[in-house]
Amino acid sequence: MAGSIKAVRGTRDLLPPETETWNFVEAVVREVFRVYNFHEIRTPILEDLQLFQRSVGEETDIVSKEMFAWEDRARAQSEKGQWLALRPENTAGVVRAYIENKLWERPGLQRFYYIGPQFRRERPQKGRYRQFYQIGAEVIGPPTAGSESPAVDAEVLEMLATLLDRLGIQHWILELNSVGCAADRQRFNEALRAALKDVVHKMCADCQRRAVTNPLRVLDCKVPEDQPIIESLPKMNEFLDEGCRAHFEEVRKILTAVGVPFKINNRLVRGLDYYTRTAFEFTHGGLGAQNAILGGGRYDGLSESLGGPAAPGIGFAIGEDRLVMTLQETAGTAARSVDIYIAPLGTGMNVEAARLARELRRESVSVIVGDDSFRLKKSLETASKTGARYALIVGENEISSGQFALKNLGTGEQITVARNEIPSKVLPAK
Ligand code: AMP
C-alpha cells in the first residue's frame, strides 16, 4: 500500500468541535469591530516578495529566515520570474492596498480589519505553526485626518481590552512601550552597539549575530544567562525625542483615564522594522513559552517606504490559534449541540421527515434526520449520542393528526406539540 499523505509540517486541520470556538471568536470580534467602526479588508495571500523586504525588513527573522518565497515561472524565456511570497503578516498587504487603491482619497481615517491565514517557516511547537491565523486591524490615513494622534493609539488599545474581556479571556497583561521615531532608534541602536561591544562575547550565538545585524533585537533574547547583561544595556526611553515622549505620555494618560491597565516594558521592541512610537503586546500566562496573544504598534513611515504618501497608522495582529487555545484552556467553551433529532417511523416516513426537516431548518432550528430503521429504543439512543437536545418522532399518526411527540433528551420529559409550535418549544426565547 502506498504511504498516506500527511498535512505539511507546521500546518494542521481545524476540526469540529474546535471550529465552533473559532466561529465564536470570529463572531465576537466582528461584533466588536462593528461597534468601533472598523470595516473588513481582504488582501491576497500571495504578494510580491519585495513588499515584505521593504516593510517588515530584510534583517528581521521573518524575512531572512521564515518566508515561504519562490521565483515564479517566467512568462517568456527571456524574462525572469517574479519573486512571490506567502504573506507572513497582513499589515504590509493592507498598506500596499491603501496605496494601490488610493484610499487616502476617501474622507477621514481608514479603519480596517482582517481575519486570515499567515505563513512563517518557524520551528513548529505548541502555539507556533507554519500556517497560523491572525485577526488584525489597522487605522491609517493622512496626517491631516488625525492619524498621528495618540488618541487613536489609546482607542485601539481600549478596543483590544474590550475585545478580550468580551471573549471571556481573564488575566491578560498589556505590555506597552514606545520605540520612538527613526532618528531616536538610530541613536539608540548606536548606543546599544557601543554598549554591546564589550559584553557581546559573553552572550548567546543569536545575540552575537543580532549585535551586528540589528542590535535592537538583542532585547528580545529569552536566554536566561543573557538577562543580567541585557538589563545593564541602555534603555529606549532614554532616547525618545520631545515629540515621542509627549505622544507616549498622552497614550498612557488616556488609558489610565478609561481604566485600561498596562505595564511599561522598556524592552519591548517587536520584531518588525516598520514600528515607530507606541509598541505593545498582550500576553497571557496560560500560553507557556509562546505567551503573546497579540502584538502591534504604530508604523508612521511605512507607507512612504512602500512608495506611498505620508500615511501614519497603527495596528495589531491577534494570533487566533493562541486565542482559541487560551479559551479552551481557561473557559472550556461547550460545543453547541443540535436542536432536534428527527426519528422517522419506518421507510415510508422518509418523505415526511425530509419535509418537516426543511420546515424546521427554515425556522432556524438545527436538525439531524435519523435513518428509517426505526426501533424506538435504538433511535432514542442514537439521538442522545448525536448530542441532540430533543428527539421528534415522525409516523403516520403524527402526520395525519399534526400532533408530534417531542422528547427532551436531557430530562426525559415528553410532550405533544402541534407542528407549527415545534420551533418555539426548542429554540431559546428571544
Ligand atoms: P507578530 O506579527 O509576530 O507580532 O505576531 C502577532 C501575533 O501572531 C503573535 O502575538 C502571536 O499570537 C501570533 N503568531 C505569530 N507567529 C505565530 C506562529 N508561527 N504560530 C501561531 N501564532 C503566531
Side-chain angles (χ1 to χ4, degrees):
M1 205 175 78
S4 60
I5 297 173
K6 300 262 178 13
V8 172
R9 182 169 144 85
T11 72
R12 68 210 166 114
D13 304 305
L14 303 175
L15 305 172
E18 191 189 330
T19 42
E20 297 285 340
T21 312
W22 286 74
N23 284 332
F24 163 74
V25 165
E26 289 170 20
V28 171
V29 299
R30 282 181 199 277
E31 174 57 15
V32 172
F33 285 139
R34 186 188 70 76
V35 171
Y36 283 81
N37 189 31
F38 280 77
H39 302 275
E40 186 169 8
I41 183 167
R42 299 189 190 192
T43 64
I45 287 169
L46 210 54
E47 295 273 7
D48 189 321
L49 173 62
Q50 287 179 50
L51 173 65
F52 306 111
Q53 291 171 329
R54 279 166 57 182
S55 55
V56 177
E58 295 203 66
E59 293 301 335
T60 58
D61 285 356
I62 294 178
V63 173
S64 66
K65 298 199 292 202
E66 298 166 2
M67 293 270 273
F68 285 95
W70 66 95
E71 190 177 5
D72 197 29
R73 210 178 288 162
R75 268 169 296 170
Q77 268 196 334
S78 55
E79 280 179 45
K80 278 193 169 170
Q82 182 187 18
W83 278 83
L84 302 179
L86 296 182
R87 63 183 186 198
E89 58 96 59
N90 216 338
T91 302
V94 170
V95 176
R96 180 202 47 68
Y98 175 86
I99 299 167
E100 192 169 341
N101 297 289
K102 298 194 170 57
L103 298 180
W104 64 85
E105 289 177 351
R106 298 186 179 185
L109 291 180
Q110 304 306 305
R111 299 159 72 91
F112 301 117
Y113 78 88
Y114 59 82
I115 301 178
Q118 319 293 336
F119 302 83
R120 294 181 195 174
R121 191 188 267 111
E122 293 188 85
R123 197 167 54 75
Q125 56 176 270
K126 187 174 176 232
R128 200 206 271 160
Y129 310 97
R130 291 184 168 185
Q131 173 171 341
F132 60 100
Y133 295 80
Q134 285 186 334
I135 299 170
E138 316 289 348
V139 183
I140 180 169
T144 48
S147 54
E148 282 170 305
S149 167
V152 178
D153 309 34
E155 188 191 21
V156 164
L157 289 164
E158 186 275 319
M159 172 173 78
L160 279 166
T162 300
L163 202 155
L164 295 180
D165 289 345
R166 282 259 187 112
L167 284 168
I169 296 196
Q170 290 165 346
H171 312 305
W172 48 260
I173 297 171
L174 162 56
E175 298 193 21
L176 196 59
N177 195 18
S178 173
V179 296
C181 40
D184 301 340
R185 263 209 316 284
Q186 200 178 337
R187 283 186 295 124
F188 181 46
N189 254 319
E190 279 160 23
L192 275 181
R193 239 183 255 278
L196 280 166
K197 216 180 250 156
D198 300 331
V199 289
V200 74
H201 64 277
K202 293 186 242 166
M203 304 181 80
C204 70
D206 274 340
C207 281
Q208 303 201 6
R209 181 176 50 82
R210 292 172 184 139
V212 181
T213 56
N214 195 349
L216 265 184
R217 313 286 313 144
V218 168
L219 305 184
D220 271 351
C221 174
K222 301 275 182 328
V223 175
E225 294 76 31
D226 288 358
Q227 301 311 308
I229 303 179
I230 295 171
E231 283 306 317
S232 70
L233 294 172
K235 304 266 183 300
M236 182 70 232
N237 56 346
E238 298 156 15
F239 293 82
L240 297 183
D241 68 17
E242 208 28 59
C244 292
R245 201 182 298 278
H247 183 99
F248 194 35
E249 207 174 289
E250 184 70 8
V251 175
R252 295 188 319 240
K253 197 168 105 191
I254 301 176
L255 286 179
T256 307
V258 297
V260 174
F262 58 87
K263 217 171 86 179
I264 300 294
N265 177 356
N266 268 315
R267 281 176 50 178
L268 185 79
V269 287
R270 314 265 309 123
L272 292 68
D273 274 5
Y274 54 61
Y275 285 114
T276 53
R277 295 193 163 173
T278 313
F280 56 86
E281 274 179 9
F282 281 71
T283 56
H284 193 273
L287 283 169
Q290 307 298 319
N291 68 352
I293 316 179
L294 72 93
R298 224 170 222 291
Y299 43 82
D300 289 349
L302 178 56
S303 172
E304 289 101 314
S305 67
L306 293 174
I314 181 164
F316 61 82
I318 306 174
E320 193 175 0
D321 308 70
R322 293 189 196 171
L323 197 60
V324 167
M325 223 162 88
T326 313
L327 278 177
Q328 284 172 335
E329 277 166 20
T330 55
T333 36
R336 198 154 39 93
S337 57
V338 71
D339 297 318
I340 291 186
Y341 180 94
I342 292 184
L345 243 173
T347 27
M349 283 295 116
N350 280 342
V351 169
E352 291 301 340
R355 195 175 279 162
L356 192 59
R358 177 169 159 87
E359 277 173 33
L360 290 170
R361 286 167 172 157
R362 288 187 162 220
E363 295 290 326
S364 296
V365 178
S366 60
V367 173
I368 296 176
V369 183
D371 73 50
D372 49 23
S373 60
F374 185 84
R375 273 186 297 134
L376 186 62
K377 188 152 171 279
K378 185 181 141 256
S379 291
L380 290 179
E381 272 169 20
T382 313
S384 294
K385 276 191 203 139
T386 63
R389 293 165 46 235
Y390 291 90
L392 186 71
I393 293 159
V394 181
E396 302 263 356
N397 290 345
E398 283 79 4
I399 297 299
S400 57
S401 68
Q403 297 288 321
F404 291 80
L406 182 69
K407 189 177 176 79
N408 183 324
L409 293 167
T411 61
E413 184 198 4
Q414 184 166 319
I415 53 169
T416 303
V417 277
R419 190 172 184 124
N420 61 359
E421 281 172 7
I422 302 171
S424 61
K425 291 283 182 242
V426 302
L427 291 176
K430 285 226 174 87

